[in-house]
């Protein structure tokens, strides 16, 4: 059976504190194992080779709670050629003010950089750490377009048909389900996770994703995620030169503690 991350790049909720920025939200990292019918032939993910000529891959993810309120906004940039990556999210200070913060994975996955920004988005300061091979694997959680396409093209997703929007865009509807992991199941009960994805048929990339938990025969919506995908050609999105930096041997989000070099 195949495990499929249903929100692989959503790493933090809107309510994380500045000291706990990048702390994972359990609701946003739920994963499921699907064994539904295979996706029908004719739905094929574009090849990554063509993407490499189109520029840096940009994704914006907006997650919503079951009441419709925004829970997290995350933006990512991935260079499919150099494998440089950046993720921006929101951090909340103790006084309630919210500002964006950024993390970068560069130098072929060996350097992790965290940048604090003011409320306008201007970089204020940063810190970085050189990563071991093991650490690099643990932090490299956001995916290229090709990896996302491959994820949704797996046979574990059931094809529910194609919709066409008013402007002529074709959308593929997929579904999948599985039991919640054993260590998260409530005592004496079994919770089934249902996933419903809507993909742009031409791109093979998600437009929307919804997750429901089925308990005692009833489904309750857990959250939904809306996606925007685009290509950009601004290499400066990975540029951290000019930002005051301090080197660390360990960082809170990766190692559980900040240790300055």
């Amino acid at each position: 059976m195949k495990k499929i991350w249903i929100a692989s790049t959503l790493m933090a909720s809107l309510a994380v504190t500045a000291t706990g920025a990048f702390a994972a939200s359990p609701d946003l990292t739920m994963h499921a194992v699907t064994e539904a019918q295979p996706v029908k032939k004719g739905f094929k993910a574009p090849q990554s080779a063509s993407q490499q000529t189109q520029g840096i891959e940009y994704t914006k993810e907006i997650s919503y709670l079951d009441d419709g309120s925004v829970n997290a906004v995350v933006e990512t940039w991935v260079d499919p050629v150099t494998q440089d990556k950046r993720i921006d999210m929101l951090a909340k200070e103790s006084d309630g003010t919210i500002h964006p913060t950024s993390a970068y994975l560069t130098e072929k996955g060996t350097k992790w950089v965290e940048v604090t920004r003011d409320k306008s988005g201007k970089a204020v300061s940063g810190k970085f750490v050189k990563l071991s091979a093991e650490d690099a694997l643990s932090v490299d959680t956001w995916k290229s377009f090709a990896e996302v396409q491959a994820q949704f093209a797996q046979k574990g997703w059931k094809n529910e048909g194609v919709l066409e929007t008013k402007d002529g865009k074709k959308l593929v509807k997929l579904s999948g389900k599985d039991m919640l992991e054993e260590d998260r199941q409530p005592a004496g009960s079994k919770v089934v996770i249902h996933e419903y994805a809507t993909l742009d048929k031409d791109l093979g990339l998600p437009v929307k994703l919804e997750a429901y938990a089925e308990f005692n025969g009833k489904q309750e919506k857990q959250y939904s995620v809306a996606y925007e995908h685009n290509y950009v050609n601004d290499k400066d999105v990975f540029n951290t030169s000019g930002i005051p930096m301090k080197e660390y041997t360990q960082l809170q989000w990766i190692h559980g503690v900040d240790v300055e070099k």
Side-chain angles (χ1 to χ4, degrees), residues 3 11 13 30 56 58 63 72 93 99-100 105 114 129 132 167-168 170 177 188 199 201 209 228 233 242 250 259:
K3 290 189 176 182
M11 299 164 61
S13 72
M30 188 184 302
I56 296 166
Y58 168 80
S63 71
E93 299 285 1
H99 61 86
L105 189 61
E114 295 178 12
V129 65
S132 65
D167 59 1
K170 292 184 178 180
K177 66 179 180 179
L199 273 61
K201 188 176 186 296
L209 181 71
E228 298 175 18
N233 290 297
Q250 296 184 50
V259 179

Side-chain angles (χ1 to χ4, degrees), residues 2-233:
K2 300 180 181 295
K3 290 189 176 182
I4 299 175
W5 289 100
I6 59 178
S8 61
T9 64
L10 291 179
M11 299 164 61
S13 72
L14 189 63
V16 296
T17 64
T19 56
F22 312 116
S25 165
D27 286 340
L28 295 177
T29 55
M30 188 184 302
H31 57 86
V33 182
T34 59
E35 283 200 339
Q37 296 298 316
V39 174
K40 295 178 181 178
K41 292 182 179 180
F43 178 66
K44 184 177 181 182
Q47 298 299 308
S48 60
S50 64
Q51 296 172 331
Q52 293 181 357
T53 64
Q54 298 187 52
I56 296 166
E57 300 169 352
Y58 168 80
T59 300
K60 184 175 184 179
E61 299 181 16
I62 306 174
S63 71
Y64 300 88
L65 298 176
D66 58 350
D67 62 2
S69 61
V70 174
N71 185 51
V73 179
V74 178
E75 296 176 284
T76 62
W77 294 260
V78 175
D79 188 324
V81 178
T82 66
Q83 293 303 306
D84 286 344
K85 299 180 179 183
R86 170 180 166 179
I87 184 167
D88 283 14
M89 60 197 79
L90 299 176
K92 188 174 183 180
E93 299 285 1
S94 57
D95 63 0
T97 59
I98 296 173
H99 61 86
T101 187
S102 303
Y104 303 75
L105 189 61
T106 62
E107 298 181 6
K108 300 187 184 299
T110 63
K111 184 180 181 181
W112 175 269
V113 182
E114 295 178 12
V115 173
T116 300
R117 301 179 182 275
D118 61 23
K119 287 184 287 186
S120 69
K122 182 180 179 180
V124 176
S125 62
K127 49 190 176 182
F128 71 92
V129 65
K130 293 292 187 178
L131 299 175
S132 65
E134 182 179 356
D135 288 338
L137 286 174
S138 69
V139 300
D140 190 3
T141 58
W142 56 100
K143 301 179 182 296
S144 68
F145 284 179
E147 290 171 320
V148 174
Q149 291 162 343
Q151 172 179 310
F152 284 102
Q154 291 185 68
K155 65 180 182 179
W157 289 97
K158 180 181 179 181
N159 192 319
E160 300 286 358
V162 178
L163 301 175
E164 187 169 339
T165 63
K166 291 181 179 179
D167 59 1
K169 181 180 292 186
K170 292 184 178 180
L171 303 175
V172 178
K173 296 181 66 178
L174 304 177
S175 66
K177 66 179 180 179
D178 190 50
M179 305 298 293
L180 188 64
E181 300 96 318
E182 285 297 328
D183 59 350
R184 301 180 65 183
Q185 289 284 2
S189 302
K190 293 294 183 182
V191 176
V192 179
I193 302 301
H194 295 262
E195 302 171 304
Y196 303 95
T198 304
L199 273 61
D200 184 308
K201 188 176 186 296
D202 293 331
L203 296 177
L205 294 171
V207 175
K208 185 178 181 181
L209 181 71
E210 295 181 316
Y212 292 76
E214 181 181 343
F215 182 69
N216 290 336
K218 295 183 179 179
Q219 288 191 32
E220 291 188 4
K221 189 174 183 179
Q222 299 300 298
Y223 62 86
S224 63
V225 185
Y227 298 85
E228 298 175 18
H229 302 281
N230 209 339
Y231 290 96
V232 297
N233 290 297

